Amino acid sequence: MNPGKPRILYVDDDPRQLSAFKAAFRRNYEIFIAQSAAEGKEELKKQPIDIIITDQRMPDMTGVEFLESIVKEYPDLIKILMTGYTDLKEAASAINKGKIYCYLNKPWDEVELSMILKNAYDICCTRRELKEKHAELQKTNNELEKFVYSASHDLRAPVLSIKGVINFALSQTKPKDQEYLLMIEKSINRLDVFVENIINYYQNVKLRVSPVEIRFDRMIEETWNSFNFIQNKSEIEFRSQISQEEVFKTDEFRMQVILNNLLLNAIKYQGKDNTTQRISVDIHVANNMATVSVSDTGIGIEPEHLDKIFNMFYRATQEKPGSGLGLYIVREAVDKIDGAIAVKSVVGKGSTFTVTIPGKE
């Protein structure tokens, strides 16, 4: 076999057609022939084929039926159908069944067929190149994801150690001497949130959805208490109203990620000038559907930013520090559990994020 030549398999129950085709094109192509669909399938198993040409009218099965039967096993194969004039209507209506590149009338014209074969092989090469590039890109993406996750995971331990040391130092230091320690604590907390977001993003991409029973009252309480490290949390009035009288199941990890990020944003973007700083969580579960609303009295979001805030690394304001990952991760997590998210906001008054999630079994 000459690996430099494109390989063509021609299937036809007429030996004269097979001989004529092989004689006409063997100089530029590696030609393989078969007199039935069954023989054609055997030839496909023996060596890689670039282009397959088949007659429509054969005794065991039609050309369309033959091509349709090999679509799943050989999706990248360029397929050409040979038809008689009386078969055109049938071939045209069935063209998508076998993923056919084109069909030709018999008897075929050598010049026309030469041009079609050249174009078909160009498409074959392009598909092959795109597939290789896609595989390389997928490999690079996987390696990058693993690197980012590994680096973030390895960063988490020293970050937590530093937080522990800072807390100890603060407990041993007089309030008037704590200024620099508090600055370090603020920065390390921001880094911890950023590292945690990267880990959550990776896990959201990789972990399969595993529905378990969700008790929203417990989850809200645990999530709110986990923010005790934030200095201004004690100044915020927190209210939760939960209506859940039925068992509700969804992915616990992604539900936790959604609530964690929405509540953290509600704390972070509270307005300094507001006399009352308030966060409200309303959850209603009915008919196997959960509606979760998180409202705040924060700085709000300008209308021109509302359709962009869920984009990766997008920040709607520079007034507060952030990575632009939180809401992106929220949307990704919502998508993973087939939910939807919407936002309403008034600048200077606050925002409300509403998430609707269907229950899973």
Side-chain angles (χ1 to χ4, degrees):
M1 180 184 299
N2 184 351
K5 287 185 178 182
R7 291 178 285 273
I8 298 176
L9 172 61
Y10 184 27
V11 183
D12 197 317
D13 61 328
D14 187 344
R16 294 171 298 176
Q17 290 289 331
L18 297 176
S19 297
F21 181 84
K22 192 167 187 177
F25 296 102
R26 63 184 178 184
R27 178 176 296 180
N28 298 320
Y29 299 94
E30 186 97 18
I31 305 298
F32 301 88
I33 57 175
Q35 287 190 247
S36 68
E39 287 184 19
K41 290 181 180 181
E42 290 301 316
E43 286 293 333
L44 288 172
K45 294 177 182 178
K46 292 178 182 178
Q47 64 276 309
I49 297 295
D50 300 308
I51 302 169
I52 184 167
I53 304 172
T54 181
D55 184 35
Q56 166 65 357
R57 294 196 173 185
M58 295 186 292
D60 49 349
M61 66 171 64
T62 66
V64 169
E65 291 171 342
F66 170 49
L67 295 177
E68 186 179 1
S69 70
I70 63 173
V71 163
K72 290 184 179 180
E73 194 170 357
Y74 305 97
D76 298 327
L77 195 62
I78 300 294
K79 306 171 186 70
I80 298 174
L81 184 69
M82 289 281 193
T83 70
Y85 288 106
T86 56
D87 302 324
L88 286 178
K89 185 175 180 180
E90 179 183 359
S93 64
I95 202 88
N96 290 328
K97 292 183 179 180
K99 304 297 180 183
I100 298 166
Y101 168 64
C102 71
Y103 60 85
L104 296 172
N105 295 329
K106 292 177 72 175
W108 42 267
D109 177 79
E110 185 173 337
V111 175
E112 179 189 14
L113 185 50
S114 294
M115 184 62 67
I116 288 174
L117 292 177
K118 181 182 182 302
N119 292 339
Y121 185 64
D122 287 343
I123 292 173
C124 180
C125 292
T126 301
R127 285 182 181 176
R128 192 172 295 150
E129 184 178 354
L130 286 174
K131 196 172 184 178
E132 291 172 357
K133 294 294 183 183
H134 182 269
E136 290 175 8
L137 181 61
Q138 188 65 50
K139 181 175 180 291
T140 301
N141 284 342
N142 289 338
E143 290 173 349
L144 181 60
E145 284 180 356
K146 289 178 182 178
F147 169 76
V148 171
Y149 175 75
S150 178
S152 302
H153 196 271
D154 291 344
L155 275 173
R156 196 79 198 282
V159 165
L160 293 176
S161 296
I162 294 171
K163 289 176 70 172
V165 172
I166 291 173
N167 287 332
F168 177 76
L170 286 170
S171 68
Q172 303 297 313
T173 307
K174 295 179 181 180
K176 65 178 182 178
D177 299 323
Q178 292 181 352
E179 179 182 358
Y180 294 115
L181 286 173
L182 291 173
M183 290 173 63
I184 295 172
E185 182 185 43
K186 187 175 181 180
S187 295
I188 204 69
N189 284 335
R190 285 165 53 190
L191 177 59
D192 187 31
V193 170
F194 180 71
V195 170
E196 185 178 13
N197 276 338
I198 294 175
I199 293 172
N200 286 340
Y201 169 73
Y202 180 87
Q203 291 177 329
N204 182 58
V205 170
K206 295 299 181 182
L207 296 178
R208 68 182 182 87
V209 174
S210 300
V212 297
E213 182 178 349
I214 302 297
R215 287 288 303 273
F216 282 106
D217 52 352
R218 293 177 184 174
M219 184 173 283
I220 288 295
E221 183 180 2
E222 291 170 0
T223 303
W224 182 250
N225 289 336
S226 70
F227 298 129
N228 289 334
F229 67 89
I230 300 178
Q231 290 179 352
N232 67 318
K233 181 201 168 190
S234 60
E235 303 170 7
I236 300 171
E237 177 188 333
F238 179 71
R239 181 189 69 83
S240 65
Q241 184 171 341
I242 300 169
S243 173
Q244 182 180 5
E245 298 181 358
E246 62 183 58
V247 174
F248 181 80
K249 292 184 179 182
T250 190
D251 187 277
E252 184 176 22
F253 164 72
R254 291 173 175 89
M255 193 68 248
Q256 188 70 65
V257 166
I258 293 166
L259 289 175
N260 185 79
N261 279 281
L262 290 180
L263 283 173
L264 186 59
N265 268 15
I267 296 171
K268 185 192 303 182
Y269 294 103
Q270 282 294 323
K272 292 182 180 180
D273 299 332
N274 292 358
T275 55
T276 301
Q277 296 187 348
R278 184 186 304 110
I279 294 175
S280 301
V281 176
D282 294 282
I283 300 176
H284 181 70
V285 180
N287 300 319
N288 205 32
M289 180 72 71
T291 303
V292 180
S293 293
V294 178
S295 302
D296 62 63
T297 53
I299 62 177
I301 306 166
E302 297 282 352
E304 62 265 28
H305 297 300
L306 285 176
D307 62 341
K308 303 173 185 175
I309 58 173
F310 296 106
N311 295 345
M312 181 181 281
F313 300 126
Y314 188 84
R315 295 181 60 197
T317 178
Q318 301 300 318
E319 291 184 30
K320 303 283 186 176
S323 63
L325 274 176
L327 289 179
Y328 172 77
I329 293 171
V330 168
R331 189 193 64 182
E332 293 294 300
V334 169
D335 288 346
K336 279 285 186 178
I337 53 179
D338 300 323
I341 185 167
V343 58
K344 293 181 180 179
S345 187
V346 178
V347 175
K349 293 189 177 181
S351 305
T352 298
F353 288 84
T354 303
V355 180
T356 53
I357 304 161
K360 300 281 188 181
E361 294 299 330

